Amino acid sequence: MKSVFITGANRSIGFETAKRLWNDGYFVYIGSRDLDKGKAAAAQIGTARIAVVQLDVTDPASIQAAHHQVSSTTGSLDVLINNAGILGNYPQQATNAPGSTIREVFDTNFFGVISLTQALMNLLQKSAQPRIVNVTSGLASLANHSDPSWKYYNVKGAAYGPSKTALNAYTVVLAYELRDTPFKVNVIDPGYTATDFNQHRGTGTVEEAAAIIVRFATLDENGPTGKFYSNDAEGGEMAW
């Protein structure tokens, strides 16, 4: 039985992804900053092959506790989906956005991903086909941000988008370092999805978002690594 750890899995895209992988037979770790919300989400999925992990990716002690829980439960990990993220306070103008806001967003969306990934690496290395999916945003694309014809060209901010651009860069480096191993490491943009994150103004559904994440979480040995894919990109692959 394969296992998957999903951060921010108590609602929206993370929850739908957890539900799909549980239905596919995975042991699912529901990562949730709020333990009660995590338990409520898990109860909607099932009673077996599921565990709730109280996790704050900005807290080293919380990450260490999460590692201990996975290690003592399944002993290894096949898939890590770094889905948790925050938007930060708006507006995020480059000329006057508080440094504290930018740091807070980067702590979760970038440094938190690195800390958790490194902490769980020894458990992923026990898998025959380890997979890492880092959930990003189309707003991370520097190529598109430089193209006035891009439909989201005017959607710019000093914290959220740059934090995801940094995440993309980290993913490229991680995939390169693991290139000669069974790992597949990719960064996935689920598209502009209607969730609490954007007051449900998105045009995509959580089902569509979860589908692309699950696709890359379950790649076979011939699948890509070190790539940027998006539901909003023609042909699937997004420009960096």
Side-chain angles (χ1 to χ4, degrees):
M1 179 174 57
K2 289 189 174 183
S3 58
V4 56
F5 192 117
I6 309 170
T7 65
N10 59 285
R11 64 176 183 169
S12 300
I13 297 172
F15 175 75
E16 182 65 24
T17 302
K19 186 166 60 175
R20 289 192 178 210
L21 288 170
W22 187 86
N23 285 332
D24 287 344
Y26 280 73
F27 186 103
V28 176
Y29 290 99
I30 299 283
S32 177
R33 188 155 46 182
D34 186 302
L35 184 59
D36 289 336
K37 290 180 179 178
K39 289 180 178 179
Q44 295 180 59
I45 297 175
T47 56
R49 294 187 289 105
I50 196 163
V52 180
V53 181
Q54 191 283 320
L55 177 68
D56 179 348
V57 297
T58 69
D59 180 0
S62 180
I63 291 175
Q64 184 178 12
H67 178 278
H68 176 74
Q69 185 172 346
V70 176
S71 181
S72 60
T73 303
T74 54
S76 63
L77 188 65
D78 296 284
V79 182
L80 171 60
I81 300 175
N82 286 305
N83 168 72
I86 62 172
L87 189 60
N89 294 328
Y90 263 76
Q92 295 178 354
Q93 294 174 308
T95 52
N96 58 20
S100 58
T101 294
I102 298 173
R103 288 189 185 93
E104 180 184 25
V105 174
F106 267 75
D107 277 347
T108 295
N109 297 356
F110 179 60
F111 293 112
V113 171
I114 295 173
S115 296
L116 182 65
T117 300
Q118 291 179 344
L120 297 178
M121 185 58 63
N122 69 323
L123 299 177
L124 286 161
Q125 288 170 332
K126 295 180 180 180
S127 171
Q129 292 185 314
R131 304 290 180 258
I132 297 175
V133 176
N134 291 331
V135 179
T136 189
S137 167
L139 297 177
S141 172
L142 296 179
N144 285 329
H145 271 302
S146 301
D147 180 4
S149 68
W150 184 44
K151 61 182 176 179
Y152 301 122
Y153 177 73
N154 293 320
V155 184
K156 289 178 167 56
Y160 178 73
S163 75
K164 293 297 189 176
T165 303
L167 175 62
N168 286 8
Y170 172 72
T171 303
V172 169
V173 174
L174 181 63
Y176 177 79
E177 289 188 11
L178 297 171
R179 67 193 183 282
D180 295 325
T181 74
F183 274 84
K184 302 293 182 183
V185 185
N186 292 286
V187 64
I188 304 301
D189 164 36
Y192 189 31
T193 306
T195 66
D196 295 343
F197 202 72
N198 54 41
Q199 292 78 52
H200 294 270
R201 291 176 297 191
T203 55
T205 67
V206 292
E207 290 79 12
E208 292 167 335
I212 190 172
I213 293 173
V214 169
R215 173 186 162 198
F216 283 89
T218 58
L219 288 173
D220 64 21
E221 64 275 11
N222 298 313
T225 191
K227 299 294 185 178
F228 181 9
Y229 287 88
S230 171
N231 272 341
D232 281 342
E234 185 175 349
E237 192 167 354
M238 180 71 90
W240 295 100

